[in-house]
Amino acid sequence: MTALARPTHGRMIGGVCAALARRFGTSATTMRVIFLLSCLLPGPQFLLYIALWILLPSEDKVHATSW
């Protein structure tokens, strides 16, 4: 598994679904569909997305500080 960071390429809004897809080895489209379907259920999906957007570092910042 790779580190959990928002990618700089291939992201739509914040890159959260793309980061989760890369982490769990699935496609970003599949993760986006899962997220959209989960929005039909009651719960804090949007708040979780926003929290992950804020908390997950961007991929370019992770590579810049890891050398």
Side-chain angles (χ1 to χ4, degrees):
M1 287 189 194
T2 61
L4 196 55
R6 295 180 296 116
T8 54
H9 301 291
R11 62 189 203 187
M12 288 235 168
I13 298 175
V16 175
C17 289
L20 292 173
R22 187 180 294 175
R23 171 77 168 154
F24 294 113
T26 183
S27 72
T29 304
T30 302
M31 193 60 68
R32 291 177 186 125
V33 168
I34 290 171
F35 174 73
L36 289 175
L37 290 175
S38 75
C39 290
L40 298 174
L41 302 171
Q45 291 86 346
F46 289 112
L47 295 176
L48 182 63
Y49 188 92
I50 292 171
L52 286 174
W53 192 350
I54 293 169
L55 295 174
L56 289 180
S58 184
E59 189 176 55
D60 56 349
K61 291 180 183 175
V62 170
H63 289 303
T65 59
S66 67
W67 57 278

